[in-house]
Amino acid sequence: MTTPHTIAVLGLGRMGRAIATRLASRGWDVVGWTRSGRTPDAVRTTSDPHDAVAKADLVLLALFDGPACRQVLDDVRDSPRAGAVVVNTGTVSPAEASEPARRLGPAYVHAPVLGSVPAAAGALRILAAAEQDTLDRVRPVLEAPGTVRHVGDASTGAALKLVANSGLAGAVLALRDSLRHADALGLPRAEVMDVLELGRLGGFVTCRGSFLADGSAAGTAEFTIGAPAKDMALPAAASSVPLRSAVGPAGSPADAEADIAVAATTPAAKDGVLEPLRAYIRGHATGDAAHFREAFLPGAHIEGIRDGVFVSWPLDEYCALFRGRPAPDEPTRSRRVDALDVHGTVATATMTLAHGADTFTDVFLLVRADGRWRIANKAYHRHP
């Protein structure tokens, strides 16, 4: 049985770049492709995914979500050489994992990963769903970025990854709440971390200890906010168990996503910087303009292109658009914080809002004055 020699890595974000770099360093012939056009120096790249796939014995997908995986696989479906294997490391729903498994049969390996950018150090845990012969063939490749666990079929592998992510999110939020209480009690962070390490959160605290020990960022974040928010939505779509909590007066489904964002960026982004974004989310969820007045500075403007014309609404004019009640389709709407950067007393944030048939990207400028963060300005883009 021949081990793949040439590997095409489609998707060179944080995870894909780390995996590709690890494989190249271990002697495989790696060619990468990314939709963004941003390419790492350590890996040979091509601007044409068909070219990458046509030369590969193994095609490894490291893409953001199920729709991206489906689109890329559809685009290159006629390009793989005979006998090539497709390995999908993405976090997708069980249904999204089963579809390519049915289409590609033994040539498909669903291999979601537990862990993050430590792929570059071989520290991932990989849940590999494949026929045994296929898994034996690709195992040397998968063992370069981590350890492999055979989990049966693609649907099971995808479901196990979602369950693992759900547990991780719970641990993140539990740690966040513990640190909040400790800070309120005036306890030194280092001592708190030592004690937490003795308890049920010990393993999680150990791996995040250097980042959290003194209340300031001690390294580079290993994932973006959009990824855990996206992942947390998948189990709810795949089962009848609601995974989003109702937080705050609005009970907004997206408040849970904001909580994940807070915990994921602690302590690089102190909790207070997200309070105006939470209030903004509550305003949309309830239609109550009072939440927007809480979120924005009085002189703030909301700006963007509307019907082909640039608009710049003062806060009062923006608030007048809301009637004090939720939109009829509010239960189907979602909002997530995608990115947050804090620079002393100013910060920028990006949020995605899925409102029925419309999707918006909101970009915020926030300032901290009088001990409180507020939104100074918002610009938005309505996706066609």
Side-chain angles (χ1 to χ4, degrees):
M1 185 173 297
T2 304
T3 299
H5 173 69
T6 302
I7 301 170
V9 178
L10 306 185
L12 295 173
R14 291 172 182 264
M15 180 63 74
R17 183 169 62 249
I19 292 176
T21 301
R22 177 74 172 178
L23 292 172
S25 72
R26 301 292 289 268
W28 272 282
D29 178 21
V30 178
V31 58
W33 170 83
T34 177
R35 294 182 298 168
S36 71
R38 297 188 298 270
T39 58
D41 295 334
V43 178
R44 179 168 57 95
T45 60
T46 177
S47 61
D48 184 356
H50 299 274
D51 179 60
V53 169
K55 298 175 181 177
D57 307 302
L58 186 151
V59 178
L60 189 145
L61 304 181
L63 301 164
F64 183 70
D65 58 13
C69 294
R70 182 172 59 251
Q71 177 186 338
V72 171
L73 279 177
D74 285 345
D75 286 347
V76 302
R77 63 181 178 274
D78 297 325
S79 298
R81 62 171 59 177
V85 176
V86 174
V87 175
N88 188 355
T89 65
T91 301
V92 302
S93 72
E96 289 169 329
S98 296
E99 192 278 329
R102 287 193 298 269
R103 190 198 324 173
L104 299 174
Y108 181 75
V109 180
H110 192 68
V113 300
L114 305 181
S116 188
V117 178
L124 295 177
R125 280 83 65 198
I126 301 166
L127 306 177
E131 293 189 2
Q132 189 62 57
D133 287 349
T134 305
L135 181 58
D136 289 343
R137 180 183 173 195
V138 303
R139 183 182 288 276
V141 175
L142 296 180
E143 287 181 341
T147 57
V148 178
R149 180 186 180 95
H150 192 191
V151 294
D153 62 16
S155 177
T156 299
L160 286 170
K161 173 61 190 296
L162 299 186
V163 170
N165 275 11
S166 178
L168 174 61
V172 170
L173 294 175
L175 180 56
R176 177 211 62 181
D177 289 342
S178 296
L179 295 177
R180 278 181 174 176
H181 293 315
D183 290 343
L185 292 168
L187 296 171
R189 178 61 64 87
E191 187 172 2
V192 169
M193 297 297 290
D194 285 344
V195 172
L196 288 175
E197 200 167 358
L198 300 175
R200 296 295 185 183
L201 290 174
F204 186 64
V205 172
T206 298
C207 72
R208 302 300 293 171
S210 61
F211 184 71
L212 297 167
D214 63 359
S216 62
T220 302
E222 293 173 352
F223 54 84
T224 60
I225 292 169
K230 177 267 298 182
D231 294 350
M232 285 300 292
L234 290 174
S239 72
S240 60
V241 180
L243 295 182
R244 292 172 172 172
S245 59
V247 180
S252 165
D255 279 346
E257 294 180 356
D259 281 349
I260 292 290
V262 171
T265 57
T266 299
K270 293 294 188 180
D271 186 36
V273 74
L274 273 163
E275 291 305 328
L277 299 180
R278 285 199 183 102
Y280 176 79
I281 288 170
R282 287 194 290 270
H284 277 290
T286 64
D288 183 352
H291 296 298
F292 295 119
R293 297 190 184 279
E294 177 187 351
F296 287 88
L297 287 169
H301 278 69
I302 292 84
E303 301 176 321
I305 304 298
R306 188 177 181 90
D307 298 326
V309 178
F310 175 74
V311 297
S312 181
W313 290 311
L315 183 60
D316 286 344
E317 189 172 340
Y318 181 69
C319 288
L321 300 173
F322 296 86
R323 305 300 182 187
R325 58 183 179 273
D329 63 344
E330 174 57 28
T332 68
R333 295 187 173 198
S334 67
R335 298 109 194 162
R336 70 169 187 258
V337 180
D338 295 306
L340 179 65
D341 292 296
V342 181
H343 308 277
T345 58
V346 298
T348 57
T350 304
M351 184 183 296
T352 297
L353 298 87
H355 286 184
D358 295 320
T359 299
F360 297 87
T361 297
D362 287 357
V363 180
F364 300 89
L365 174 65
L366 302 100
V367 297
R368 189 176 189 273
D370 299 324
R372 179 184 177 191
W373 286 95
R374 305 283 291 281
I375 300 170
N377 208 57
K378 187 199 91 169
Y380 73 88
H381 170 67
R382 180 179 182 178
H383 296 269

